[in-house]
Amino acid sequence: MRQKIVAGNWKMNNDKSETKSLIKGLNKSIKKLSLENTRVIIAPSFVNLASAIKKTKKSKIEVVSQNMHQSKSGAFTGEVSADMLTSIGIKTVIIGHSERRSIFNETDNLLAEKVNSALENDLETIFCFGELLEDRKSGNHFNIVEEQLKNVLFQLDEIAWENIILAYEPVWAIGTGETASPEQAQEMHAFIRSIIEKQYNKKVANAVSILYGGSVKPANAKEIFSKEDVDGGLIGGASLNAADFSAIIKAI
Ligand code: PEP
């Protein structure tokens, strides 16, 4: 079901006590909000997931993972499996963030394996994708986005889409301070819905939540979130500050 969602990707930031105090600040500032149809998500580092779950037990905040390995178990030093995540109470995982693609060489093939593994293990998946600056400049951005979705998600059956959240994140807007305009975000989100409708049907296209990510800040959140096909945001930098993140949550 389509939902309003504001998700904070904390990346490799915040040690144990910083994680606790950021959650404390967030809990305090969103406590009085009704947030009836809105999900608030944070993605701390692996080592802080368990304590974050504990700290958010009585709050509206959901704790999710930034990544996972595609295999069930085995000799994969330094990796974390879906089973390990679900065993501590994680219900959702982010897959395909542009930093995983560019720094850790994660390809569409690998991401398809990860998505399949997550869904098989009942983990809802926030799938990230988006074009590079050169693709946008050359006018190839729609093709790139369509390819990424085709390669990773269009092999799924219709039912699987109930556990998919999309996060369109133009790479040129991530951590750069340069945001896609609300019109650019709307244009791409509408395109995404149209290709999902072509591949599946209207019901699937209208039910999926599509988040925008890329330099969302308190100052621009409201306008971006006001667009018809934008269901919320995946927030990096601004989610590391309780006041900024809660201002973005209030903007939805
Ligand atoms: C992100 O990393 O997913 C992101 C959107 O970062 P930022 O908000 O800092 O651009």
PDB file of all heavy atoms in Angstrom, residues 86-123:
ATOM      1  N   THR A  86      16.968 -10.293  10.580  1.00  0.00           N
ATOM      2  CA  THR A  86      15.613 -10.576  11.078  1.00  0.00           C
ATOM      3  C   THR A  86      15.674 -11.092  12.518  1.00  0.00           C
ATOM      4  O   THR A  86      14.764 -10.841  13.303  1.00  0.00           O
ATOM      5  CB  THR A  86      14.849 -11.570  10.176  1.00  0.00           C
ATOM      6  OG1 THR A  86      15.631 -12.747  10.040  1.00  0.00           O
ATOM      7  CG2 THR A  86      14.569 -10.992   8.807  1.00  0.00           C
ATOM      8  N   SER A  87      16.779 -11.778  12.866  1.00  0.00           N
ATOM      9  CA  SER A  87      16.865 -12.337  14.220  1.00  0.00           C
ATOM     10  C   SER A  87      16.941 -11.251  15.299  1.00  0.00           C
ATOM     11  O   SER A  87      16.655 -11.513  16.464  1.00  0.00           O
ATOM     12  CB  SER A  87      18.056 -13.295  14.349  1.00  0.00           C
ATOM     13  OG  SER A  87      19.264 -12.565  14.374  1.00  0.00           O
ATOM     14  N   ILE A  88      17.362 -10.034  14.919  1.00  0.00           N
ATOM     15  CA  ILE A  88      17.365  -8.959  15.935  1.00  0.00           C
ATOM     16  C   ILE A  88      16.151  -8.035  15.785  1.00  0.00           C
ATOM     17  O   ILE A  88      16.056  -6.997  16.442  1.00  0.00           O
ATOM     18  CB  ILE A  88      18.675  -8.135  15.945  1.00  0.00           C
ATOM     19  CG1 ILE A  88      18.914  -7.415  14.603  1.00  0.00           C
ATOM     20  CG2 ILE A  88      19.874  -9.002  16.315  1.00  0.00           C
ATOM     21  CD1 ILE A  88      19.896  -6.262  14.716  1.00  0.00           C
ATOM     22  N   GLY A  89      15.270  -8.365  14.871  1.00  0.00           N
ATOM     23  CA  GLY A  89      14.034  -7.592  14.750  1.00  0.00           C
ATOM     24  C   GLY A  89      13.981  -6.606  13.592  1.00  0.00           C
ATOM     25  O   GLY A  89      13.065  -5.787  13.510  1.00  0.00           O
ATOM     26  N   ILE A  90      14.957  -6.694  12.695  1.00  0.00           N
ATOM     27  CA  ILE A  90      14.932  -5.810  11.508  1.00  0.00           C
ATOM     28  C   ILE A  90      13.894  -6.338  10.511  1.00  0.00           C
ATOM     29  O   ILE A  90      13.839  -7.539  10.237  1.00  0.00           O
ATOM     30  CB  ILE A  90      16.343  -5.755  10.865  1.00  0.00           C
ATOM     31  CG1 ILE A  90      17.326  -5.055  11.791  1.00  0.00           C
ATOM     32  CG2 ILE A  90      16.298  -5.091   9.489  1.00  0.00           C
ATOM     33  CD1 ILE A  90      17.111  -3.585  11.998  1.00  0.00           C
ATOM     34  N   LYS A  91      13.110  -5.430   9.952  1.00  0.00           N
ATOM     35  CA  LYS A  91      12.058  -5.844   9.019  1.00  0.00           C
ATOM     36  C   LYS A  91      12.273  -5.286   7.610  1.00  0.00           C
ATOM     37  O   LYS A  91      11.579  -5.672   6.670  1.00  0.00           O
ATOM     38  CB  LYS A  91      10.695  -5.372   9.535  1.00  0.00           C
ATOM     39  CG  LYS A  91      10.319  -6.002  10.882  1.00  0.00           C
ATOM     40  CD  LYS A  91       8.849  -5.743  11.190  1.00  0.00           C
ATOM     41  CE  LYS A  91       8.366  -6.540  12.377  1.00  0.00           C
ATOM     42  NZ  LYS A  91       8.956  -6.121  13.645  1.00  0.00           N
ATOM     43  N   THR A  92      13.203  -4.352   7.486  1.00  0.00           N
ATOM     44  CA  THR A  92      13.386  -3.649   6.205  1.00  0.00           C
ATOM     45  C   THR A  92      14.873  -3.441   5.945  1.00  0.00           C
ATOM     46  O   THR A  92      15.645  -3.201   6.879  1.00  0.00           O
ATOM     47  CB  THR A  92      12.679  -2.261   6.274  1.00  0.00           C
ATOM     48  OG1 THR A  92      11.310  -2.459   6.627  1.00  0.00           O
ATOM     49  CG2 THR A  92      12.760  -1.519   4.956  1.00  0.00           C
ATOM     50  N   VAL A  93      15.259  -3.522   4.659  1.00  0.00           N
ATOM     51  CA  VAL A  93      16.666  -3.315   4.306  1.00  0.00           C
ATOM     52  C   VAL A  93      16.769  -2.392   3.089  1.00  0.00           C
ATOM     53  O   VAL A  93      15.933  -2.460   2.190  1.00  0.00           O
ATOM     54  CB  VAL A  93      17.373  -4.677   4.062  1.00  0.00           C
ATOM     55  CG1 VAL A  93      16.721  -5.463   2.921  1.00  0.00           C
ATOM     56  CG2 VAL A  93      18.849  -4.505   3.777  1.00  0.00           C
ATOM     57  N   ILE A  94      17.782  -1.539   3.097  1.00  0.00           N
ATOM     58  CA  ILE A  94      18.067  -0.693   1.931  1.00  0.00           C
ATOM     59  C   ILE A  94      19.009  -1.477   1.020  1.00  0.00           C
ATOM     60  O   ILE A  94      20.003  -2.037   1.484  1.00  0.00           O
ATOM     61  CB  ILE A  94      18.755   0.632   2.359  1.00  0.00           C
ATOM     62  CG1 ILE A  94      17.839   1.446   3.281  1.00  0.00           C
ATOM     63  CG2 ILE A  94      19.164   1.446   1.134  1.00  0.00           C
ATOM     64  CD1 ILE A  94      18.505   2.698   3.885  1.00  0.00           C
ATOM     65  N   ILE A  95      18.692  -1.505  -0.257  1.00  0.00           N
ATOM     66  CA  ILE A  95      19.561  -2.204  -1.216  1.00  0.00           C
ATOM     67  C   ILE A  95      19.807  -1.298  -2.423  1.00  0.00           C
ATOM     68  O   ILE A  95      18.895  -0.634  -2.917  1.00  0.00           O
ATOM     69  CB  ILE A  95      18.931  -3.559  -1.626  1.00  0.00           C
ATOM     70  CG1 ILE A  95      19.052  -4.532  -0.446  1.00  0.00           C
ATOM     71  CG2 ILE A  95      19.619  -4.149  -2.874  1.00  0.00           C
ATOM     72  CD1 ILE A  95      18.408  -5.854  -0.634  1.00  0.00           C
ATOM     73  N   GLY A  96      21.074  -1.269  -2.867  1.00  0.00           N
ATOM     74  CA  GLY A  96      21.403  -0.573  -4.113  1.00  0.00           C
ATOM     75  C   GLY A  96      21.745   0.891  -3.967  1.00  0.00           C
ATOM     76  O   GLY A  96      21.736   1.632  -4.968  1.00  0.00           O
ATOM     77  N   HIS A  97      22.060   1.329  -2.738  1.00  0.00           N
ATOM     78  CA  HIS A  97      22.432   2.740  -2.594  1.00  0.00           C
ATOM     79  C   HIS A  97      23.600   3.048  -3.538  1.00  0.00           C
ATOM     80  O   HIS A  97      24.470   2.207  -3.761  1.00  0.00           O
ATOM     81  CB  HIS A  97      22.817   3.050  -1.144  1.00  0.00           C
ATOM     82  CG  HIS A  97      22.987   4.511  -0.904  1.00  0.00           C
ATOM     83  ND1 HIS A  97      24.156   5.170  -1.191  1.00  0.00           N
ATOM     84  CD2 HIS A  97      22.114   5.456  -0.464  1.00  0.00           C
ATOM     85  CE1 HIS A  97      23.998   6.460  -0.914  1.00  0.00           C
ATOM     86  NE2 HIS A  97      22.773   6.663  -0.476  1.00  0.00           N
ATOM     87  N   SER A  98      23.642   4.259  -4.056  1.00  0.00           N
ATOM     88  CA  SER A  98      24.665   4.595  -5.068  1.00  0.00           C
ATOM     89  C   SER A  98      26.085   4.424  -4.529  1.00  0.00           C
ATOM     90  O   SER A  98      27.002   4.122  -5.288  1.00  0.00           O
ATOM     91  CB  SER A  98      24.460   6.016  -5.585  1.00  0.00           C
ATOM     92  OG  SER A  98      24.850   6.938  -4.605  1.00  0.00           O
ATOM     93  N   GLU A  99      26.255   4.583  -3.187  1.00  0.00           N
ATOM     94  CA  GLU A  99      27.605   4.368  -2.642  1.00  0.00           C
ATOM     95  C   GLU A  99      27.971   2.885  -2.667  1.00  0.00           C
ATOM     96  O   GLU A  99      29.137   2.526  -2.830  1.00  0.00           O
ATOM     97  CB  GLU A  99      27.685   4.935  -1.209  1.00  0.00           C
ATOM     98  CG  GLU A  99      27.745   6.452  -1.235  1.00  0.00           C
ATOM     99  CD  GLU A  99      27.054   7.139  -0.081  1.00  0.00           C
ATOM    100  OE1 GLU A  99      26.833   6.516   0.970  1.00  0.00           O
ATOM    101  OE2 GLU A  99      26.709   8.326  -0.237  1.00  0.00           O
ATOM    102  N   ARG A 100      26.993   2.009  -2.525  1.00  0.00           N
ATOM    103  CA  ARG A 100      27.259   0.564  -2.654  1.00  0.00           C
ATOM    104  C   ARG A 100      27.618   0.242  -4.110  1.00  0.00           C
ATOM    105  O   ARG A 100      28.465  -0.590  -4.383  1.00  0.00           O
ATOM    106  CB  ARG A 100      26.028  -0.273  -2.247  1.00  0.00           C
ATOM    107  CG  ARG A 100      25.541  -0.128  -0.812  1.00  0.00           C
ATOM    108  CD  ARG A 100      26.537  -0.548   0.230  1.00  0.00           C
ATOM    109  NE  ARG A 100      27.208  -1.786  -0.058  1.00  0.00           N
ATOM    110  CZ  ARG A 100      28.245  -2.242   0.673  1.00  0.00           C
ATOM    111  NH1 ARG A 100      28.696  -1.560   1.715  1.00  0.00           N
ATOM    112  NH2 ARG A 100      28.825  -3.388   0.358  1.00  0.00           N
ATOM    113  N   ARG A 101      26.932   0.908  -5.030  1.00  0.00           N
ATOM    114  CA  ARG A 101      27.227   0.655  -6.448  1.00  0.00           C
ATOM    115  C   ARG A 101      28.599   1.189  -6.824  1.00  0.00           C
ATOM    116  O   ARG A 101      29.404   0.490  -7.429  1.00  0.00           O
ATOM    117  CB  ARG A 101      26.174   1.348  -7.336  1.00  0.00           C
ATOM    118  CG  ARG A 101      24.765   0.778  -7.218  1.00  0.00           C
ATOM    119  CD  ARG A 101      23.799   1.681  -7.986  1.00  0.00           C
ATOM    120  NE  ARG A 101      22.417   1.349  -7.786  1.00  0.00           N
ATOM    121  CZ  ARG A 101      21.684   0.605  -8.619  1.00  0.00           C
ATOM    122  NH1 ARG A 101      22.221   0.093  -9.693  1.00  0.00           N
ATOM    123  NH2 ARG A 101      20.410   0.363  -8.361  1.00  0.00           N
ATOM    124  N   SER A 102      28.895   2.447  -6.446  1.00  0.00           N
ATOM    125  CA  SER A 102      30.120   3.072  -6.963  1.00  0.00           C
ATOM    126  C   SER A 102      31.364   2.703  -6.154  1.00  0.00           C
ATOM    127  O   SER A 102      32.417   2.487  -6.715  1.00  0.00           O
ATOM    128  CB  SER A 102      29.951   4.591  -7.023  1.00  0.00           C
ATOM    129  OG  SER A 102      29.830   5.107  -5.719  1.00  0.00           O
ATOM    130  N   ILE A 103      31.243   2.604  -4.825  1.00  0.00           N
ATOM    131  CA  ILE A 103      32.450   2.343  -4.011  1.00  0.00           C
ATOM    132  C   ILE A 103      32.675   0.837  -3.856  1.00  0.00           C
ATOM    133  O   ILE A 103      33.793   0.366  -3.836  1.00  0.00           O
ATOM    134  CB  ILE A 103      32.339   3.012  -2.620  1.00  0.00           C
ATOM    135  CG1 ILE A 103      32.081   4.512  -2.769  1.00  0.00           C
ATOM    136  CG2 ILE A 103      33.603   2.771  -1.793  1.00  0.00           C
ATOM    137  CD1 ILE A 103      31.707   5.237  -1.484  1.00  0.00           C
ATOM    138  N   PHE A 104      31.577   0.085  -3.748  1.00  0.00           N
ATOM    139  CA  PHE A 104      31.713  -1.358  -3.496  1.00  0.00           C
ATOM    140  C   PHE A 104      31.365  -2.196  -4.731  1.00  0.00           C
ATOM    141  O   PHE A 104      31.155  -3.405  -4.622  1.00  0.00           O
ATOM    142  CB  PHE A 104      30.863  -1.751  -2.278  1.00  0.00           C
ATOM    143  CG  PHE A 104      31.277  -0.993  -1.041  1.00  0.00           C
ATOM    144  CD1 PHE A 104      30.568   0.125  -0.621  1.00  0.00           C
ATOM    145  CD2 PHE A 104      32.406  -1.355  -0.329  1.00  0.00           C
ATOM    146  CE1 PHE A 104      30.965   0.866   0.493  1.00  0.00           C
ATOM    147  CE2 PHE A 104      32.818  -0.635   0.787  1.00  0.00           C
ATOM    148  CZ  PHE A 104      32.098   0.483   1.199  1.00  0.00           C
ATOM    149  N   ASN A 105      31.290  -1.527  -5.876  1.00  0.00           N
ATOM    150  CA  ASN A 105      31.111  -2.206  -7.177  1.00  0.00           C
ATOM    151  C   ASN A 105      29.906  -3.124  -7.248  1.00  0.00           C
ATOM    152  O   ASN A 105      29.975  -4.201  -7.855  1.00  0.00           O
ATOM    153  CB  ASN A 105      32.380  -3.008  -7.540  1.00  0.00           C
ATOM    154  CG  ASN A 105      33.604  -2.117  -7.546  1.00  0.00           C
ATOM    155  OD1 ASN A 105      33.540  -0.991  -8.044  1.00  0.00           O
ATOM    156  ND2 ASN A 105      34.692  -2.583  -6.969  1.00  0.00           N
ATOM    157  N   GLU A 106      28.825  -2.772  -6.613  1.00  0.00           N
ATOM    158  CA  GLU A 106      27.632  -3.622  -6.672  1.00  0.00           C
ATOM    159  C   GLU A 106      26.918  -3.400  -8.011  1.00  0.00           C
ATOM    160  O   GLU A 106      26.546  -2.289  -8.362  1.00  0.00           O
ATOM    161  CB  GLU A 106      26.719  -3.340  -5.468  1.00  0.00           C
ATOM    162  CG  GLU A 106      27.396  -3.734  -4.164  1.00  0.00           C
ATOM    163  CD  GLU A 106      26.459  -3.825  -2.964  1.00  0.00           C
ATOM    164  OE1 GLU A 106      25.274  -3.455  -3.079  1.00  0.00           O
ATOM    165  OE2 GLU A 106      26.934  -4.258  -1.898  1.00  0.00           O
ATOM    166  N   THR A 107      26.766  -4.486  -8.745  1.00  0.00           N
ATOM    167  CA  THR A 107      26.161  -4.422 -10.087  1.00  0.00           C
ATOM    168  C   THR A 107      24.668  -4.737 -10.006  1.00  0.00           C
ATOM    169  O   THR A 107      24.193  -5.258  -8.990  1.00  0.00           O
ATOM    170  CB  THR A 107      26.807  -5.473 -11.000  1.00  0.00           C
ATOM    171  OG1 THR A 107      26.545  -6.766 -10.405  1.00  0.00           O
ATOM    172  CG2 THR A 107      28.309  -5.260 -11.134  1.00  0.00           C
ATOM    173  N   ASP A 108      23.959  -4.471 -11.088  1.00  0.00           N
ATOM    174  CA  ASP A 108      22.529  -4.813 -11.128  1.00  0.00           C
ATOM    175  C   ASP A 108      22.308  -6.308 -10.858  1.00  0.00           C
ATOM    176  O   ASP A 108      21.350  -6.681 -10.188  1.00  0.00           O
ATOM    177  CB  ASP A 108      21.928  -4.436 -12.494  1.00  0.00           C
ATOM    178  CG  ASP A 108      21.694  -2.935 -12.615  1.00  0.00           C
ATOM    179  OD1 ASP A 108      21.858  -2.213 -11.612  1.00  0.00           O
ATOM    180  OD2 ASP A 108      21.365  -2.484 -13.724  1.00  0.00           O
ATOM    181  N   ASN A 109      23.202  -7.164 -11.408  1.00  0.00           N
ATOM    182  CA  ASN A 109      23.043  -8.617 -11.185  1.00  0.00           C
ATOM    183  C   ASN A 109      23.122  -8.964  -9.705  1.00  0.00           C
ATOM    184  O   ASN A 109      22.306  -9.724  -9.179  1.00  0.00           O
ATOM    185  CB  ASN A 109      24.148  -9.412 -11.909  1.00  0.00           C
ATOM    186  CG  ASN A 109      23.830  -9.552 -13.369  1.00  0.00           C
ATOM    187  OD1 ASN A 109      22.695  -9.276 -13.789  1.00  0.00           O
ATOM    188  ND2 ASN A 109      24.811  -9.960 -14.148  1.00  0.00           N
ATOM    189  N   LEU A 110      24.116  -8.389  -9.048  1.00  0.00           N
ATOM    190  CA  LEU A 110      24.280  -8.643  -7.619  1.00  0.00           C
ATOM    191  C   LEU A 110      23.082  -8.084  -6.850  1.00  0.00           C
ATOM    192  O   LEU A 110      22.547  -8.727  -5.938  1.00  0.00           O
ATOM    193  CB  LEU A 110      25.574  -7.997  -7.112  1.00  0.00           C
ATOM    194  CG  LEU A 110      25.804  -8.118  -5.610  1.00  0.00           C
ATOM    195  CD1 LEU A 110      26.156  -9.551  -5.237  1.00  0.00           C
ATOM    196  CD2 LEU A 110      26.890  -7.174  -5.132  1.00  0.00           C
ATOM    197  N   LEU A 111      22.647  -6.898  -7.237  1.00  0.00           N
ATOM    198  CA  LEU A 111      21.528  -6.268  -6.524  1.00  0.00           C
ATOM    199  C   LEU A 111      20.246  -7.089  -6.696  1.00  0.00           C
ATOM    200  O   LEU A 111      19.443  -7.187  -5.768  1.00  0.00           O
ATOM    201  CB  LEU A 111      21.328  -4.827  -6.991  1.00  0.00           C
ATOM    202  CG  LEU A 111      22.527  -3.904  -6.675  1.00  0.00           C
ATOM    203  CD1 LEU A 111      22.336  -2.532  -7.289  1.00  0.00           C
ATOM    204  CD2 LEU A 111      22.743  -3.798  -5.164  1.00  0.00           C
ATOM    205  N   ALA A 112      20.088  -7.703  -7.859  1.00  0.00           N
ATOM    206  CA  ALA A 112      18.915  -8.576  -8.069  1.00  0.00           C
ATOM    207  C   ALA A 112      18.979  -9.752  -7.096  1.00  0.00           C
ATOM    208  O   ALA A 112      17.977 -10.134  -6.489  1.00  0.00           O
ATOM    209  CB  ALA A 112      18.860  -9.064  -9.508  1.00  0.00           C
ATOM    210  N   GLU A 113      20.192 -10.311  -6.910  1.00  0.00           N
ATOM    211  CA  GLU A 113      20.351 -11.415  -5.943  1.00  0.00           C
ATOM    212  C   GLU A 113      20.021 -10.948  -4.536  1.00  0.00           C
ATOM    213  O   GLU A 113      19.369 -11.647  -3.755  1.00  0.00           O
ATOM    214  CB  GLU A 113      21.795 -11.918  -5.946  1.00  0.00           C
ATOM    215  CG  GLU A 113      22.147 -12.842  -7.073  1.00  0.00           C
ATOM    216  CD  GLU A 113      23.570 -13.385  -6.878  1.00  0.00           C
ATOM    217  OE1 GLU A 113      23.860 -13.934  -5.803  1.00  0.00           O
ATOM    218  OE2 GLU A 113      24.377 -13.220  -7.807  1.00  0.00           O
ATOM    219  N   LYS A 114      20.491  -9.747  -4.199  1.00  0.00           N
ATOM    220  CA  LYS A 114      20.232  -9.225  -2.845  1.00  0.00           C
ATOM    221  C   LYS A 114      18.734  -8.998  -2.623  1.00  0.00           C
ATOM    222  O   LYS A 114      18.200  -9.334  -1.569  1.00  0.00           O
ATOM    223  CB  LYS A 114      20.989  -7.906  -2.625  1.00  0.00           C
ATOM    224  CG  LYS A 114      22.479  -8.081  -2.464  1.00  0.00           C
ATOM    225  CD  LYS A 114      23.109  -6.809  -1.912  1.00  0.00           C
ATOM    226  CE  LYS A 114      24.593  -7.044  -1.656  1.00  0.00           C
ATOM    227  NZ  LYS A 114      25.166  -6.112  -0.700  1.00  0.00           N
ATOM    228  N   VAL A 115      18.074  -8.408  -3.618  1.00  0.00           N
ATOM    229  CA  VAL A 115      16.632  -8.148  -3.475  1.00  0.00           C
ATOM    230  C   VAL A 115      15.887  -9.480  -3.310  1.00  0.00           C
ATOM    231  O   VAL A 115      15.037  -9.614  -2.423  1.00  0.00           O
ATOM    232  CB  VAL A 115      16.083  -7.355  -4.698  1.00  0.00           C
ATOM    233  CG1 VAL A 115      14.563  -7.310  -4.665  1.00  0.00           C
ATOM    234  CG2 VAL A 115      16.662  -5.947  -4.708  1.00  0.00           C
ATOM    235  N   ASN A 116      16.245 -10.467  -4.136  1.00  0.00           N
ATOM    236  CA  ASN A 116      15.570 -11.765  -4.022  1.00  0.00           C
ATOM    237  C   ASN A 116      15.774 -12.373  -2.641  1.00  0.00           C
ATOM    238  O   ASN A 116      14.833 -12.886  -2.028  1.00  0.00           O
ATOM    239  CB  ASN A 116      16.092 -12.741  -5.088  1.00  0.00           C
ATOM    240  CG  ASN A 116      15.640 -12.330  -6.473  1.00  0.00           C
ATOM    241  OD1 ASN A 116      14.662 -11.592  -6.620  1.00  0.00           O
ATOM    242  ND2 ASN A 116      16.358 -12.774  -7.490  1.00  0.00           N
ATOM    243  N   SER A 117      17.003 -12.301  -2.160  1.00  0.00           N
ATOM    244  CA  SER A 117      17.310 -12.883  -0.858  1.00  0.00           C
ATOM    245  C   SER A 117      16.550 -12.145   0.260  1.00  0.00           C
ATOM    246  O   SER A 117      16.001 -12.770   1.175  1.00  0.00           O
ATOM    247  CB  SER A 117      18.818 -12.825  -0.631  1.00  0.00           C
ATOM    248  OG  SER A 117      19.131 -13.195   0.668  1.00  0.00           O
ATOM    249  N   ALA A 118      16.509 -10.833   0.161  1.00  0.00           N
ATOM    250  CA  ALA A 118      15.788 -10.052   1.182  1.00  0.00           C
ATOM    251  C   ALA A 118      14.312 -10.460   1.195  1.00  0.00           C
ATOM    252  O   ALA A 118      13.748 -10.767   2.256  1.00  0.00           O
ATOM    253  CB  ALA A 118      15.922  -8.562   0.892  1.00  0.00           C
ATOM    254  N   LEU A 119      13.702 -10.504   0.024  1.00  0.00           N
ATOM    255  CA  LEU A 119      12.263 -10.801  -0.032  1.00  0.00           C
ATOM    256  C   LEU A 119      11.975 -12.232   0.420  1.00  0.00           C
ATOM    257  O   LEU A 119      10.996 -12.487   1.123  1.00  0.00           O
ATOM    258  CB  LEU A 119      11.727 -10.564  -1.452  1.00  0.00           C
ATOM    259  CG  LEU A 119      11.777  -9.100  -1.933  1.00  0.00           C
ATOM    260  CD1 LEU A 119      11.354  -8.999  -3.385  1.00  0.00           C
ATOM    261  CD2 LEU A 119      10.920  -8.178  -1.063  1.00  0.00           C
ATOM    262  N   GLU A 120      12.864 -13.161   0.030  1.00  0.00           N
ATOM    263  CA  GLU A 120      12.683 -14.553   0.483  1.00  0.00           C
ATOM    264  C   GLU A 120      12.730 -14.657   2.004  1.00  0.00           C
ATOM    265  O   GLU A 120      12.158 -15.556   2.598  1.00  0.00           O
ATOM    266  CB  GLU A 120      13.796 -15.452  -0.091  1.00  0.00           C
ATOM    267  CG  GLU A 120      13.501 -15.945  -1.488  1.00  0.00           C
ATOM    268  CD  GLU A 120      14.766 -16.448  -2.190  1.00  0.00           C
ATOM    269  OE1 GLU A 120      15.763 -16.765  -1.497  1.00  0.00           O
ATOM    270  OE2 GLU A 120      14.729 -16.502  -3.440  1.00  0.00           O
ATOM    271  N   ASN A 121      13.447 -13.738   2.609  1.00  0.00           N
ATOM    272  CA  ASN A 121      13.567 -13.738   4.079  1.00  0.00           C
ATOM    273  C   ASN A 121      12.609 -12.755   4.747  1.00  0.00           C
ATOM    274  O   ASN A 121      12.818 -12.349   5.889  1.00  0.00           O
ATOM    275  CB  ASN A 121      15.010 -13.421   4.469  1.00  0.00           C
ATOM    276  CG  ASN A 121      15.923 -14.602   4.220  1.00  0.00           C
ATOM    277  OD1 ASN A 121      15.941 -15.550   4.978  1.00  0.00           O
ATOM    278  ND2 ASN A 121      16.636 -14.555   3.101  1.00  0.00           N
ATOM    279  N   ASP A 122      11.564 -12.381   3.998  1.00  0.00           N
ATOM    280  CA  ASP A 122      10.530 -11.481   4.527  1.00  0.00           C
ATOM    281  C   ASP A 122      11.052 -10.127   4.945  1.00  0.00           C
ATOM    282  O   ASP A 122      10.532  -9.517   5.885  1.00  0.00           O
ATOM    283  CB  ASP A 122       9.796 -12.123   5.726  1.00  0.00           C
ATOM    284  CG  ASP A 122       9.024 -13.342   5.276  1.00  0.00           C
ATOM    285  OD1 ASP A 122       8.516 -13.320   4.144  1.00  0.00           O
ATOM    286  OD2 ASP A 122       8.954 -14.311   6.053  1.00  0.00           O
ATOM    287  N   LEU A 123      12.089  -9.660   4.273  1.00  0.00           N
ATOM    288  CA  LEU A 123      12.575  -8.307   4.536  1.00  0.00           C
ATOM    289  C   LEU A 123      12.030  -7.376   3.459  1.00  0.00           C
ATOM    290  O   LEU A 123      12.279  -7.587   2.260  1.00  0.00           O
ATOM    291  CB  LEU A 123      14.104  -8.268   4.503  1.00  0.00           C
ATOM    292  CG  LEU A 123      14.843  -8.707   5.753  1.00  0.00           C
ATOM    293  CD1 LEU A 123      16.338  -8.891   5.460  1.00  0.00           C
ATOM    294  CD2 LEU A 123      14.673  -7.684   6.871  1.00  0.00           C
TER     295      LEU A 123
END
